[in-house]
């Protein structure tokens, strides 16, 4: 008889790496998957960490079973001492007992198992007549029953069964087919076939023929529980079949020192199988849909007031060009009208990165615009998570939305920081402005000259001789020519200003779109991408935990 | 008769009740309801029709407790199969005197079980065996176990126990503290079933400890008055029976019961009365479960409604200041009135100026960019987003509710409730187009009228202007120049246009208000159909509010009938006392195992020392019986 060992040594050796992989899976998934779905895996990882940190030379074997099946008798018989109380009053054992074979007392292990100190016994008498050197390293636990009216016993059993390395299920001819044992316990251990032993105790009560039939029936039930291959033995503490085969089996298990790792391997198998559905589809190749991103940028641009800023930029260009190149005599009139960009409280050339940005006076988004931003953000999340299983689509949508409240301010800052390209006065504005001034000065000079001449004439003084160009006096020419040239120049640059304004508008449009795109990337797409990365990591981690 | 009719009505009411929503109470209530219906069908109704029918003792208990062996030994014949493989008995076996056989074979009690006489067939069947060794008036039913891996056994055993006049509960020294049978004993106590208890297979020397402990446990579970018999673990004779000597106390007790019609009636009376009494709390439990269902439906409905209500108010907020809609109305107005581009700009400017003035006075800001003709896009987005948010919100609220989560899970295959219905975009577009059409109609009916007023007012103004002009002409000696005429005509036309623009703006505002309420109405209808996706599921679940009241009324009727017509009072004959000598007696089997076929006389006669608990007086719990 031997344990139903599956897989080779490598499967056991890799347990530590697999637990580590499971830990990586948890780290990747924990922010995106509801905690209840991860709780079993977390328990396994924690427990594995604790168990591996404790003595691996000890093998914790639990005797579990129904009340009255003779767990305590078996415990006493294996330890060859009367350690656990045996009785007819049911339920007999209420608190787990432990017996340790070997020199070390394994007290930290027993502390971890939660066996009270007064229930711990030590078999450390080497050389004694009843010494079992082959059992060195065995920690045998006598568990309370799992089916009596004392519900607390069941809780204690459930707690300890989650911790021990090997379980010997002790059944008896009267109770071997009880529902509670098979449905609620044995069937739950189908992932732990290689650390499960079933014994039919009190076999001495049956005739050998009946015992054979009973054992065969139990074998069938155990197979139905999904535990095929698990050793099923008949034992008796007082009569015929005896304990030799069980003892032999325990000796080999203790000698192999593999039970703890096998148990953890089984635990990891179980949770990995449960978790597989969470990451069973390949992540999408194109992480975040381009079309959805473009729609998002459009919606954000509308909501942030980009069209208004672009229009204001164009008008501001015209306004400022007028101020720089208009007819100097009437230029001041421009001052009476507000600068369109300044009305929006936007700087012309963007704010430098290290300076704080004042809030702009752009009108807030309308409900319709807000709604379209909401839709676009949701679409980005849904498209990204569309092909993913389980809770992940919800995670991508909520990741896309996570910073929705920060969006308006981030957009405002982005717009305020964008260089709209009106910061520098173009060179040709200066030249034209200077020419305008020259013209005006010429006209003014002509005017003054004419005024002087008029004054001389009025006072009856002799006329000053002045240069003439052709038949016209130079003063008149200066005045009229200056005025005419100014007006002409103003008319000539008008189409140029229009062209420049158009260019400024397009430039502002492109730059604002780029800034908005950055904001969308940072606040919406990046969180979604983080979720997708976490998915990929979780998937890879779970595969290596397999 | 009254009682039977009331019970039949109650049965119909219970059977008609569904617990559709998967609430924590629903499964329990469903099980309880089918158990009650089964008990009514299997036991109460047939028993009330014939109270003098033979007494049915159901022998029930754990697997391997020796129920079949006990029945065989009591009737002194191997009528029920025994063995070491668990569970042994799978088909219930009813043993009765030949005289009583017709009553049991005619399917009064347990009508759903087909009767067989010899061979066991699979399925719900009941094997009826006549045993002349039994006295008439009393029948034993060997029930399957209550706790083995075979689930069908457990269900059948519970059904049979509900049909018992007297439940002979068999347990063993190894089993007496098991949780499962004690749960059933609790049920029996709650139902008022008469119970007797056999502690079987007691090993040597264990009786002194086990029997008192069992008695303590019985007392702790409020079953202190139950008669208890203790039988030792022993070897069986050639027929697989316990020795006559061992079962003598039990056989005598049943013999006394069978021979006394009064005692039998007392047992029946107590069990029936207890069962009727227990109906009140259990039906109240069912009614409470129905109430839970109704409350859950209401909660789910209101959370869905709240979500869509908030969607509606989002849309209302979106179109509140009217600019969005006025653009639409204005455009339609201008198209209908057929104004030129100059007029169009003038009218728009009038509206904008008015908004500015209002804004300047009230301090509210003007959302100038809303004043655009591209209303379709904005409206569609607004409604779609509101509907999507509402669907998600409602689904989230449902997910937090246990019943809601389960409903969502069952619906997942067909529709995704967390997303709006797939044809929503088309429906919203349709809605907006329909709305635009109504706006068009509205403008069409209103426009002519308003324009007339505008014209009339303009004429009035013009008339005044004319008068002024005439007086001017008088002053200039009636020399009208062509220029003056042209100026007069021009001002007239201009005044009319400006006034039309002003009056038109007012009309547009009024129409926009009406268009708004019309739009909101249509949106409401759309959101209602979206909400109906949620409420339809609740409606399909078919939870009726009146069911709980019907259950309560039916059980009240039963209770009244029970009070009005008490069961025929039996002569006050108590159950025969459990004999004192029923203690564990036989010496244990030796460890060496002789083949079971070797008849092993259970050697020792009943010892003089009785088991302490076995001497317990069987004070009967039922009122009137013990007196």
């Amino acid at each position: 008889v031997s344990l139903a060992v599956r897989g080779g040594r490598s499967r056991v050796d890799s347990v530590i790496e697999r637990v580590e992989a499971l830990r990586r899976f948890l780290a990747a998934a924990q922010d995106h998957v509801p905690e209840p779905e991860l709780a079993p895996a977390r328990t396994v990882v924690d427990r594995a960490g604790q168990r591996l940190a404790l003595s691996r030379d000890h093998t914790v074997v639990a005797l579990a079973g129904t009340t009255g099946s003779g767990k305590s008798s078996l415990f006493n018989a294996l330890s060859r001492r009367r350690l656990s109380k045996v009785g007819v009053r049911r339920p007999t054992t209420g608190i787990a007992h432990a017996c340790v074979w070997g020199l070390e007392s394994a007290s930290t292990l027993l502390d971890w198992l939660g066996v009270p100190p007064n229930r711990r016994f030590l078999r450390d008498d080497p050389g004694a007549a009843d010494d079992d050197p082959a059992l060195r390293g065995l920690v045998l636990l006598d568990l309370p029953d799992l089916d009596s009216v004392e519900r607390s016993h069941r809780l204690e059993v459930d707690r300890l069964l989650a911790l021990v390395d090997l379980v010997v299920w002790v059944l008896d001819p009267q109770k071997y087919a009880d529902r509670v044992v098979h449905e609620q316990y044995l069937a739950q251990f189908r992932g732990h076939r290689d650390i499960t032993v079933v014994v039919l105790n009190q076999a001495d009560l049956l005739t050998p023929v009946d015992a054979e039939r009973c054992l065969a029936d139990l074998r069938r039930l155990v197979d139905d529980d999904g535990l095929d291959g698990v050793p099923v033995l008949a034992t008796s503490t007082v009569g015929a079949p005896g304990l030799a085969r069980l003892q032999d089996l325990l000796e080999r298990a203790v000698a192999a020192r593999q039970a703890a790792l096998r148990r953890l391997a089984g635990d990891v198998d179980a949770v990995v199988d449960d978790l597989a559905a969470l990451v069973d589809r390949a992540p999408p190749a194109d992480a975040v849909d381009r079309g959805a991103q473009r729609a998002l940028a459009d919606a954000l641009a509308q909501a942030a007031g980009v069209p208004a800023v672009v229009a204001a930029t164009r008008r501001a260009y015209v306004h400022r060009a007028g101020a720089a190149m208009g007819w100097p005599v009437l230029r001041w009139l421009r001052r009476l009208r507000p600068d369109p960009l300044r009305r929006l409280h936007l700087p012309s050339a963007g704010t430098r990165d290290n300076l704080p940005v004042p809030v702009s006076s752009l009108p807030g988004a309308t409900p319709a615009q807000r709604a379209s931003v909401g839709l676009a953000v949701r679409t980005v999340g849904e498209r990204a998570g569309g092909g993913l299983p389980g809770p992940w689509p919800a995670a991508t949508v909520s990741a896309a939305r996570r910073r929705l409240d920060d969006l308006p301010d981030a957009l405002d800052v982005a717009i305020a920081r964008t260089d709209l390209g009106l910061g520098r006065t173009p060179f040709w504005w200066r030249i034209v402005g200077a020419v305008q001034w020259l013209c005006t000065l010429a006209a003014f000079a002509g005017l003054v000259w004419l005024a002087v001449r008029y004054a001389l004439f009025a006072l009856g003084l002799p006329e000053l001789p002045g240069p003439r160009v052709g038949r016209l006096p130079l003063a008149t020419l200066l005045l009229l020519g200056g005025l005419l040239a100014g007006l002409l120049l103003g008319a000539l640059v008008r189409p140029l200003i229009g062209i420049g304004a158009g260019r400024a508008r397009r430039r502002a449009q492109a730059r604002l779109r780029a800034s908005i795109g950055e904001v969308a990337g940072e606040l919406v797409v990046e969180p979604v991408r983080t979720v997708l990365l976490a998915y990929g990591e979780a998937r890879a981690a779970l595969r290596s935990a397999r | 008769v009254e009682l039977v009719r009331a019970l039949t009505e109650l049965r119909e009411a219970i059977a008609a009740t569904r617990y559709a929503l998967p609430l924590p109470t629903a499964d329990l209530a469903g099980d309880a309801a089918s158990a009650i219906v089964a008990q009514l069908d299997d036991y109460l109704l047939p028993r009330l029709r014939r109270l003098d029918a033979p007494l049915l003792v159901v022998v029930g208990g754990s697997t391997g407790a020796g129920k079949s062996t006990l029945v065989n030994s009591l009737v002194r014949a191997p009528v029920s199969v025994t063995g070491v493989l668990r569970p042994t008995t799978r088909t219930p076996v009813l043993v009765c005197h030949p005289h009583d056989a017709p009553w049991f074979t005619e399917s009064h009690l347990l009508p759903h079980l087909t009767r067989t006489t010899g061979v066991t067939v699979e399925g719900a069947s009941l094997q009826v065996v006549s045993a002349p060794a039994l006295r008439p008036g009393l029948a034993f039913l060997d029930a399957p176990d209550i706790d083995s891996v075979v689930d069908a056994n457990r269900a059948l055993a519970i059904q049979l126990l509900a049909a018992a006049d007297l439940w002979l509960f068999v347990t063993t020294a190894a089993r007496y503290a098991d949780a499962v049978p004690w749960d059933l004993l609790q049920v029996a106590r709650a139902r008022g079933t008469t119970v007797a208890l056999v502690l079987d297979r007691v090993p040597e020397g264990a009786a002194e400890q086990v029997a008192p402990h069992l008695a303590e446990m019985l007392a702790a579970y409020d079953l202190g008055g139950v008669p208890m018999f203790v039988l030792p673990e022993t070897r069986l004779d050639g027929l697989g029976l316990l020795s006559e000597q061992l079962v003598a106390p039990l056989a005598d007790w049943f013999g006394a019961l069978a021979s006394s019609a009064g005692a039998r009636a007392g047992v029946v009376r107590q069990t029936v009365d207890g069962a009727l009494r227990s109906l009140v709390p259990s039906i109240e439990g069912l009614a409470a479960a129905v109430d839970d269902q109704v409350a859950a439906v209401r909660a789910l409905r209101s959370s869905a409604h709240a979500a869509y209500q908030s969607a509606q108010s989002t849309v209302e907020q979106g179109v509140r200041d009217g600019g969005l809609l006025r653009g639409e109305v204005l455009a339609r107005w201008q198209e209908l009135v057929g104004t030129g581009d100059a007029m169009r700009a003038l009218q728009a400017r009038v509206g904008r100026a008015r908004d500015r003035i209002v804004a300047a006075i009230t301090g509210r800001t003007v959302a100038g960019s809303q004043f655009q003709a591209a209303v379709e896009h904005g409206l569609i987005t607004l409604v779609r987003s509101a509907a999507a948010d509402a669907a998600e919100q409602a689904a989230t609220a449902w997910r937090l509710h246990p019943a809601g989560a389960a409903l969502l899970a069952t619906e997942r295959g067909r529709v995704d409730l967390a997303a709006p219905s797939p044809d929503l975009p088309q429906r919203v577009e349709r809605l907006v187009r329909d709305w635009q059409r109504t706006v068009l109609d509205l403008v069409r009916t209103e426009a002519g009228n308003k324009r007339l007023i505008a014209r009339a007012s303009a004429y009035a103004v013009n008339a005044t202007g004319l008068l002024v002009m005439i007086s001017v002409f008088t002053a200039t000696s009636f020399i009208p120049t062509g220029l003056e005429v042209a100026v007069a005509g021009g001002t007239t036309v201009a005044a009319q246009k400006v006034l039309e623009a002003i009056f038109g703006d007012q009309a547009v505002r009024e129409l926009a208000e009406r268009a708004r309420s019309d739009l909101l109405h249509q949106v409401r209808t759309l959101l209602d159909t979206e909400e109906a996706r949620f409420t339809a599921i609740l409606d399909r679940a078919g939870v009726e509010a009146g069911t709980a009241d019907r259950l309560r009324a039916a059980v009240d009727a039963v209770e009244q009938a029970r009070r009005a017509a008490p069961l025929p009072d039996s002569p006050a004959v108590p159950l025969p006392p459990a004999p004192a000598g029923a203690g564990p007696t036989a010496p244990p089997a030796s460890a060496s195992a002789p083949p079971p076929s070797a008849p092993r006389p259970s050697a020792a006669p009943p010892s003089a020392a009785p088991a302490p608990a076995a001497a317990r007086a069987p004070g009967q719990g039922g009122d009137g019986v013990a007196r």
Side-chain angles (χ1 to χ4, degrees), chain B residues 146-172:
Chain B
I146 52 172
D147 52 4
S148 82
V149 281
V150 183
D151 281 334
N153 277 7
R154 177 184 163 80
L156 187 55
I158 288 170
Q159 192 189 353
L160 294 176
L161 289 178
D165 289 314
L166 193 154
W167 182 20
L168 185 63
F169 173 69
V170 184
T171 187
T172 66

Side-chain angles (χ1 to χ4, degrees), chain B residues 90-316:
Chain B
R90 288 171 189 246
T91 315
V93 178
L94 193 149
V95 201
C96 59
H97 188 264
H99 180 68
D100 294 333
W103 161 255
F104 289 112
T105 43
E106 275 165 23
S107 306
H108 295 289
L109 294 166
L110 299 163
H112 303 305
L113 296 181
T114 45
R115 304 316 204 248
T116 60
T117 41
V119 234
T120 352
V121 291
E122 286 303 313
S125 60
L126 177 65
Q127 188 187 351
V128 181
V129 179
S130 305
L134 211 59
R135 290 194 209 186
L138 194 105
F140 288 104
L141 201 166
D142 182 20
D145 65 90
I146 52 172
D147 52 4
S148 82
V149 281
V150 183
D151 281 334
N153 277 7
R154 177 184 163 80
L156 187 55
I158 288 170
Q159 192 189 353
L160 294 176
L161 289 178
D165 289 314
L166 193 154
W167 182 20
L168 185 63
F169 173 69
V170 184
T171 187
T172 66
R175 283 230 181 244
Y176 72 93
D178 282 11
V180 177
W182 282 99
D183 291 343
L184 277 177
L185 277 173
Q186 295 277 73
V187 173
R189 191 182 65 80
R191 277 196 188 144
T193 312
T194 318
V195 178
L197 199 137
V198 174
L199 180 61
D200 203 356
R201 304 183 69 167
V202 179
E204 181 204 10
E208 286 77 10
Q209 279 187 62
V210 172
H213 185 218
L214 179 55
E216 271 170 41
M217 286 177 75
L218 282 171
Y221 278 83
D222 206 9
L223 286 160
V226 168
M228 189 168 94
F229 302 88
V230 181
L231 296 176
E233 174 93 63
T234 176
R235 294 288 159 183
L236 307 176
D237 67 12
L239 287 169
L241 305 181
L242 296 166
S243 75
E244 216 162 332
Q245 228 165 359
L246 273 176
V247 294
L250 203 54
D252 290 347
W253 190 72
F254 279 117
L257 192 61
S259 55
S260 154
R264 285 205 323 262
V267 168
V268 170
R269 194 191 124 85
Q270 189 198 341
T271 303
V272 168
D273 205 49
L276 289 178
R277 271 168 204 275
S278 76
L279 281 179
V280 179
S282 23
I283 300 294
E284 180 50 41
L286 296 187
V290 173
D291 284 344
D292 279 357
Q293 300 259 320
V294 172
V297 166
R298 197 173 298 140
L300 291 176
R301 206 181 281 277
S302 77
S303 62
H305 187 68
Y308 280 96
Q309 194 67 44
S310 86
Q312 173 78 12
S313 65
T314 308
V315 176
E316 271 175 34

Side-chain angles (χ1 to χ4, degrees), chain A residues 67 88-90 147-149 151 173-179 182-183 210 213 217 221 366-367 371-372 378 401, chain B residues 63-64 84-86 147-149 151 154 172-179 182-183 213 318 370 381 388-389 392:
Chain A
T67 176
V88 291
R89 198 181 153 109
R90 310 266 152 252
D147 63 343
S148 81
V149 287
R151 309 277 166 184
Q174 229 187 97
K175 290 189 157 185
Y176 76 86
D178 274 16
R179 200 160 79 111
H182 289 280
E183 259 180 33
D210 281 350
R213 286 172 59 208
D217 198 37
L221 290 172
T366 63
S372 78
R378 183 203 296 268
R401 279 217 202 118
Chain B
T63 177
V84 291
L85 299 190
R86 310 274 160 248
D147 52 4
S148 82
V149 281
D151 281 334
R154 177 184 163 80
T172 66
R175 283 230 181 244
Y176 72 93
D178 282 11
W182 282 99
D183 291 343
H213 185 218
Q370 281 191 354
T381 319
D389 283 349
E392 191 177 332

